[in-house]
Amino acid sequence: MQYLSTRDKQIKLSSAEAIKKGLSVEGGLFVPEQIPNMEPHEIEGLAEQSYNERAYTILRKFLTDFTEEELKDCIGRAYTKEKFETANIAPVYKLSEAVYFLELWHGPTCAFKDMALQILPHLLTTSMKKTNEQDEVVILVATSGDTGKAALEGFRDVNGTRIIVFYPDNGVSEIQKLQMVTQEGNNVGVAAVKGNFDDAQNGVKKIFTDEAYKALLSRNQFKLSSANSINWGRLVPQIVYYFSAYADMRKAEELKPGEPVNVVVPTGNFGNILAAYYAKKMGLPIAKFICASNENNVLTDFISTGVYDKNRAFHTTISPSMDILISSNLERFLFDMTDGNAGQVAAWMQALNAGGRYEVDDAVKAKIKSLFWAGFADDDKTMATIKACKEQFDYVIDTHTAVGKAVYDKYAALTGDKTKTIIASTASPFKFNQSVLIALKGRNFVAGKDEFTLLEELSGISGMRIPKSLADLKVKSRLFNLVCEKDQMPQVVSDFLKID
Ligand SMILES: *Cc1c(COP(=O)(O)O)cnc(C)c1O
């Protein structure tokens, strides 16, 4: 199968080349030229398979240039019981007759980004080999929290790769900082940048566009790459868990063969929900997609009006991984909605770039509305939802997942739809313990308590075990204490790679 750019269909690459490149030269994203099929009997067959077998069944249909051995090797390295603390990898939790949580946070950093970032490094290094690339990959990441740690864990000790993560000195939570500065591995580097997230991100972008610096790297046989969510190698693994959830529910006889389900996704960059949409295109019987946002509700407005407008106030919320005003993966969805009209997609993206706004035509609006329902929840509503979920069902969810649940509740009340519904649960409540405890017990309860006390408290209240990776932070040594100025970032990279 070939991959095309969303902005220029003349560009055609193998999946290995698309994964190696990440982004197309003219700024477009890579998409498969057609979405492969899963026949009903193949979907039924998944019920008896392990998570890794399911992953192989799906991924082989997209990554057709990978051999069976290569794919199974990548999958086997990524999804292990040791890393995920459960053999199911992505288990389904039944909340009520109609509502099921798909727990995507059992990986090493306790958030759903592990589902993709555990396998991406292997897909990437395999792609490098397949395309005869001799250089070593250097992954540069600017992070506001979750992605940096998930990328560090994914790339640690992966042969042929180095990873350097920059985080804003005063822009990540205490636990996120601890997670990063205690990172182990022979090929990892972590540095704080004086400033905010934009400073760190601009610094990384500058390195990516500095031709002289890239030439220096090239002379030393290094090649820059990024691990961000526009890489096809991050998106395709996310399709697997929607099939896996359906298969688990079939196996438990919660669903009849072919019975439709709804899917709710707490959304930021539109990657996770797009993966669910691709699953439907392949044949998974999904009735409705419910797109849930926090107060940064640019997607809620887009789905209801067809106008995408990022010219609005940015809100810092208790679901920080969804604090996004430009949802990059929407571009892939628009390409599909216009039946592959690359010129139209390029024009909309150009308008977004120039004026921060575009409006899709009526046909696309109608198509989107027939598939999607969208809503948002502010912080108060999110808090109230965490509390209600605990009181009604004795189940504790994190702030992002609570946005999804709040929006689903609204949808169910307004429509009366009783279709069984899978809500993507995107982070462990332990990862956002402070907000979760405030929701459950009030502000006074958390005052003056350190991270580890809060983890213990949350474990007591929820009856859930503290994830090992978070509990271990208490005894891990701090390995990185570098704080740099923004303009020192290239030097930090050079020092780490021992080049000059
Ligand atoms: C990244 C993230 C999201 C948003 O996912 P997208 O694929 O960007 O829409 C939601 N919840 C959590 C916990 C995340 O880390």
Side-chain angles (χ1 to χ4, degrees):
M1 177 178 312
Q2 300 276 92
Y3 285 76
L4 321 172
S5 165
T6 47
R7 297 188 200 176
D8 181 354
K9 288 203 285 189
Q10 302 309 313
I11 295 177
K12 282 195 181 175
L13 301 176
S14 68
S15 75
E17 286 170 303
I19 290 169
K20 185 172 96 177
K21 282 210 156 69
L23 191 68
S24 186
V25 278
E26 81 304 340
L29 309 190
F30 293 116
V31 286
E33 65 186 333
Q34 84 261 342
I35 302 294
N37 254 342
M38 280 285 284
E39 300 296 334
H41 76 267
E42 289 179 285
I43 297 176
E44 281 295 291
L46 294 175
E48 294 309 320
Q49 296 181 8
S50 67
Y51 189 86
N52 288 19
E53 288 165 339
R54 291 169 185 171
Y56 178 68
T57 305
I58 307 295
L59 293 184
R60 65 185 283 269
K61 291 181 184 263
F62 286 99
L63 310 181
T64 50
D65 51 328
F66 282 58
T67 65
E68 175 172 353
E69 194 190 347
E70 285 168 340
L71 259 189
K72 285 188 172 167
D73 179 65
C74 292
I75 293 166
R77 286 172 194 270
Y79 304 119
T80 67
K81 188 167 181 287
E82 290 64 45
K83 287 180 173 171
F84 282 80
E85 294 188 47
T86 156
N88 292 351
I89 307 298
V92 173
Y93 180 90
K94 180 173 184 177
L95 189 78
S96 64
E97 274 317 302
V99 179
Y100 300 75
F101 282 110
L102 169 55
E103 295 180 349
L104 300 171
W105 41 260
H106 290 272
T109 75
C110 305
F112 100 98
K113 295 201 170 48
D114 289 329
M115 298 303 301
L117 279 167
Q118 280 297 314
I119 192 166
L120 173 73
H122 305 295
L123 296 175
L124 182 60
T125 50
T126 307
S127 298
M128 300 284 281
K129 269 187 215 132
K130 294 177 75 62
T131 54
N132 293 319
E133 184 69 53
Q134 308 295 330
D135 291 356
E136 201 170 334
V137 202
V138 179
I139 303 288
L140 291 188
V141 182
T143 187
S144 53
D146 277 356
T147 305
K149 176 62 184 178
L152 283 165
E153 273 300 321
F155 279 92
R156 76 185 271 187
D157 295 328
V158 174
N159 283 337
T161 71
R162 312 280 187 104
I163 175 163
I164 308 169
V165 170
F166 293 99
Y167 68 90
D169 199 15
N170 293 314
V172 299
S173 75
E174 210 32 51
I175 207 151
Q176 286 173 326
K177 190 172 191 164
L178 256 185
Q179 279 187 313
M180 288 188 276
V181 300
T182 58
Q183 179 66 45
E184 293 160 359
N186 293 323
N187 61 340
V188 303
V190 175
V193 180
K194 284 186 194 156
N196 58 24
F197 173 63
D198 281 340
D199 294 316
Q201 187 163 47
N202 286 334
V204 164
K205 274 192 191 154
K206 244 186 170 155
I207 297 177
F208 269 100
T209 51
D210 183 339
E211 294 305 326
Y213 191 72
K214 282 200 292 194
L216 169 71
L217 289 175
S218 181
R219 281 198 298 280
N220 288 278
Q221 264 137 26
F222 289 114
K223 191 182 180 78
L224 286 180
S225 188
S226 86
N228 62 26
S229 77
I230 53 178
N231 193 307
W232 179 249
R234 261 189 78 171
L235 197 70
V236 69
Q238 300 189 305
I239 300 171
V240 175
Y241 48 70
Y242 290 104
F243 279 98
S244 179
Y246 194 89
D248 279 351
M249 288 167 73
R250 272 292 298 133
K251 188 168 179 169
E253 295 186 16
E254 299 288 334
L255 295 173
K256 297 184 195 72
E259 184 178 336
V261 292
N262 294 329
V263 168
V264 181
V265 185
T267 296
N269 224 344
F270 209 76
N272 202 0
I273 198 164
L274 179 68
Y277 173 72
Y278 283 149
K280 179 186 168 90
K281 283 209 85 171
M282 291 178 77
L284 193 67
I286 298 176
K288 206 82 185 173
F289 298 94
I290 296 157
C291 176
S293 301
N294 64 24
E295 233 181 314
N296 296 295
N297 55 359
V298 62
L299 284 169
T300 315
D301 291 346
F302 173 66
I303 289 168
S304 24
T305 66
V307 176
Y308 194 98
D309 190 350
K310 78 166 181 83
N311 301 307
R312 57 179 74 208
F314 176 83
H315 299 279
T316 301
T317 73
I318 56 170
S319 45
S321 301
M322 295 157 63
D323 291 346
I324 283 173
L325 289 180
I326 296 191
S327 300
S328 330
N329 267 304
L330 196 59
E331 179 166 347
R332 287 191 165 107
F333 181 61
L334 292 173
F335 184 80
D336 192 88
M337 286 291 107
T338 57
D339 297 318
N341 187 341
Q344 179 63 78
V345 172
W348 287 332
M349 292 304 124
Q350 162 106 51
L352 181 65
N353 219 351
R357 182 186 186 280
Y358 61 86
E359 179 168 7
V360 298
D361 54 66
D362 289 345
V364 169
K365 274 183 216 177
K367 228 170 171 178
I368 294 175
K369 273 211 170 153
S370 68
L371 291 160
F372 282 68
W373 196 89
F376 74 100
D378 63 14
D379 281 356
D380 286 344
K381 185 78 197 162
T382 305
M383 289 277 192
T385 303
I386 293 170
K387 192 169 164 72
C389 194
K390 166 71 175 140
E391 283 171 358
Q392 272 182 300
F393 304 105
D394 197 24
Y395 181 71
V396 176
I397 53 179
D398 98 292
T399 47
H400 303 77
T401 308
V403 168
K405 176 72 164 62
V407 170
Y408 168 74
D409 289 345
K410 194 167 157 190
Y411 167 81
L414 278 172
T415 61
D417 186 357
K418 299 266 191 302
T419 307
K420 289 188 175 165
T421 297
I422 298 169
I423 301 179
S425 177
T426 53
S428 157
F430 288 99
K431 186 148 194 182
F432 297 93
N433 53 64
Q434 175 141 359
S435 299
V436 171
L437 281 168
I438 291 172
L440 296 174
K441 291 282 183 180
R443 267 180 205 282
N444 289 339
F445 185 82
V446 303
K449 291 181 179 152
D450 72 12
E451 282 292 342
F452 298 102
T453 311
L454 294 179
L455 289 176
E456 295 289 346
E457 295 281 11
L458 184 54
S459 179
I461 291 166
S462 65
M464 295 160 84
R465 244 181 342 111
I466 304 175
K468 193 168 172 313
S469 57
L470 295 183
D472 283 354
L473 288 177
K474 196 168 181 173
V475 295
K476 287 225 157 128
S477 344
R478 290 170 181 254
L479 304 170
F480 298 96
N481 54 16
L482 184 64
V483 183
C484 70
E485 300 288 344
K486 197 167 67 174
D487 53 16
Q488 291 173 324
M489 289 168 64
Q491 192 56 49
V492 170
V493 174
S494 300
D495 291 348
F496 174 72
L497 298 174
K498 300 193 172 68
I499 58 175
D500 48 33

